């Protein structure tokens, strides 16, 4: 079986000074990629900054015979996103892979206790990060007709008792990957964007208590998530616009399905008809579709030529 390699490829990995990002950066570098190791170096709540994490990983990669440079910008600012891409372009003249991994949880507790700053900071890192970076590299990828992009969601997106800012940012990260995947596919571009929902031992899981943290360290070290992520950013990988749960040596597809539901005649969907047919709306007995984009989610209703509407981006 041939080894999958990344020689000649340039990767940006954000939040690569620790945890999952470090595992991705080290794996890609060990297989030939040149890696920009970005890390602002804040604490788990996104406070503070330092060069230590990015420097340490960069040194480890270079000492092992790989090629890496460190970057200390925040992904959560417009300027940071611009600098990160500019530094990779200056060093190597191209960007092939962007793994948007940096994430923090500044929000804590129930929604009525969350401050504007907590909510907005989580959004700015988790969803803003991919936006600030990818908008600076998109044209480059488009013109070269090549790109492999990962955004990072979280199982909290399924619903969590924790604060809403973090999962909201993760939903945004998924939506960004899906939209970029759709526009690239629509235009026949070899740019793929996928999203992952990782599970890995790290400083976030330390917050869950020592009994679970110890089990996580046993089965979910960050390296157990790196193979799936590296596969998704390989040139041979055709997967585009999908979501996967990764970690603990497992990789699972995550998708949004839509039921055929219930259809009433024109102006017939009264409150009572909804009440009387809600079981059919909810039922999976008639199967479901997995739309890749908005148009595909509407296509089973042929009363409007949705394809034509979607041809015009709004
Ligand atoms: P981690 O806290 O070990 O690593 C995240 C890195 O991002 C840190 O080194 C931090 O310094 C850096 N960072 C934070 N804010 C930054 C900013 N504004 N700009 C640049 N770098 C910044 O976390 P871990 O566990 O490795 O998580 C990585 C990603 O996976 C995060 O997006 C996280 O939300 C997500 N995730 C992790 C899970 C897990 O089980 N570990 C579960 C679900 C999602």
């Amino acid at each position: 079986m041939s080894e999958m390699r990344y020689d000649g490829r340039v990767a940006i990995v954000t939040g690569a000074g620790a945890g999952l990002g470090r595992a991705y950066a080290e794996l890609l570098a060990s297989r030939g990629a040149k890696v920009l190791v970005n890390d602002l170096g804040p604490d788990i709540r996104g406070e503070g900054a330092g060069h230590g994490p990015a420097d340490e990983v960069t040194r480890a990669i270079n000492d092992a015979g790989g090629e890496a440079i460190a970057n200390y910008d925040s992904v959560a600012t417009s300027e940071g996103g611009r600098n990160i891409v500019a530094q990779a372009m200056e060093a190597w003249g191209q960007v092939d892979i962007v793994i948007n991994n940096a994430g923090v949880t500044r929000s804590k507790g129930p929604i009525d206790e969350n401050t504007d700053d907590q909510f907005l900071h989580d959004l700015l890192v988790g969803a803003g990060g991919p936006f600030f970076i990818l908008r600076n590299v998109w044209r480059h990828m488009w013109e070269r007709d090549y790109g492999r992009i990962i955004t990072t969601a979280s199982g909290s997106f399924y619903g969590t008792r924790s604060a809403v800012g973090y999962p909201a940012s993760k939903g945004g990260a998924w939506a960004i990957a899906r939209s970029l995947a759709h526009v690239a596919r629509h235009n026949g571009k070899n740019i793929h964007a996928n999203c992952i929902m990782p599970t890995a031992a790290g400083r976030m899981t330390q917050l869950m208590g020592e009994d679970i943290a110890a089990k996580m360290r046993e089965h979910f070290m960050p390296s157990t998530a790196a193979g799936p992520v590296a596969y998704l950013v390989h040139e041979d990988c055709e997967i585009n616009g999908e979501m996967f749960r990764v970690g603990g040596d497992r990789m699972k597809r995550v998708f949004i399905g839509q039921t055929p539901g219930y259809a009433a005649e024109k102006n017939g969907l009264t409150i009572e008809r909804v009440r009387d047919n809600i079981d059919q709306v909810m039922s999976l007995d008639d199967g479901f579709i997995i739309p890749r984009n908005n148009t595909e989610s509407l296509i089973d209703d042929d009363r409007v030529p949705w394809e034509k509407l979607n041809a015009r981006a709004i």
Side-chain angles (χ1 to χ4, degrees):
M1 225 174 12
S2 64
E3 187 180 67
M4 298 186 84
R5 293 197 55 86
Y6 302 81
D7 302 297
R9 296 293 180 201
V10 172
I12 291 172
V13 184
T14 71
L20 287 157
R22 177 175 190 156
Y24 308 151
E26 291 188 336
L27 180 57
L28 291 179
S30 75
R31 296 291 181 100
K34 301 177 180 73
V35 182
L36 180 136
V37 175
N38 157 265
D39 207 294
L40 175 68
D43 67 17
I44 193 164
R45 297 286 175 205
E47 309 281 2
H51 290 190
D55 282 343
E56 185 186 321
V57 175
T58 302
R59 199 176 313 115
I61 289 174
N62 290 325
D63 286 352
E67 192 171 342
I69 54 175
N71 170 281
Y72 318 110
D73 280 290
S74 173
V75 301
T77 67
S78 184
E79 190 193 358
R82 208 168 37 241
N83 289 345
I84 289 165
V85 174
Q87 191 178 335
M89 291 295 289
E90 254 167 54
W92 297 307
Q94 68 192 65
V95 175
D96 304 283
I97 296 166
V98 180
I99 300 180
N100 297 280
N101 163 77
V104 286
T105 325
R106 183 168 287 180
S107 307
K108 293 195 270 198
I111 190 167
D112 56 348
E113 289 176 13
N114 291 172
T115 66
D116 294 359
D117 168 67
Q118 288 171 340
F119 182 76
L120 292 174
H121 188 265
D122 287 349
L123 277 189
L124 278 172
V125 178
F131 169 71
F132 292 130
I133 291 174
L134 294 172
R135 70 171 170 182
N136 285 291
V137 84
W138 187 248
R139 184 164 298 278
H140 170 71
M141 287 183 165
W142 195 269
E143 285 169 2
R144 285 179 72 226
D145 193 19
Y146 191 78
R148 294 289 182 271
I149 294 165
I150 294 288
T151 64
T152 301
S154 154
S156 66
F157 173 71
Y158 281 131
T160 174
R161 284 179 295 141
S162 308
V164 298
Y166 179 73
S169 80
K170 298 309 194 180
W174 190 7
I176 289 171
R178 287 181 69 100
S179 292
L180 296 183
H182 177 43
V183 74
R185 190 188 300 116
H186 190 73
N187 288 280
K189 292 286 176 186
N190 185 14
I191 304 175
H192 300 166
N194 292 290
C195 186
I196 52 144
M197 226 181 227
T199 308
R203 55 184 187 174
M204 286 199 194
T205 53
Q206 285 299 130
L207 297 178
M208 297 170 175
E210 185 45 34
D211 51 343
I212 183 162
K215 280 286 171 201
M216 294 284 294
R217 284 195 298 275
E218 188 181 346
H219 298 292
F220 284 85
M221 286 306 281
S223 57
T224 65
V229 173
Y231 171 75
L232 290 170
V233 299
H234 193 273
E235 62 191 43
D236 290 348
C237 178
E238 293 297 330
I239 304 283
N240 191 18
E242 299 288 341
M243 160 82 102
F244 298 93
R245 220 181 209 299
V246 300
D249 298 304
R250 311 257 155 107
M251 181 177 187
K252 302 169 185 177
R253 183 182 181 189
V254 176
F255 56 85
I256 294 181
Q258 183 176 292
T259 66
Y262 174 76
E265 72 286 358
K266 194 166 195 278
N267 296 325
L269 195 55
T270 60
I271 304 169
E272 293 74 22
R273 288 279 287 284
V274 174
R275 175 196 61 201
D276 296 343
N277 292 283
I278 194 67
D279 288 349
Q280 189 175 333
V281 173
M282 297 295 291
S283 174
L284 296 179
D285 290 351
D286 296 324
F288 55 85
I289 58 168
I290 304 173
R292 292 180 304 174
N293 53 63
N294 190 18
T295 306
E296 288 185 5
S297 75
L298 292 162
I299 219 82
D300 62 351
D301 181 344
D302 59 8
R303 294 174 299 175
V304 175
W306 302 110
E307 279 292 346
K308 286 189 191 153
L309 279 184
N310 197 56
R312 267 189 232 158
I314 49 168

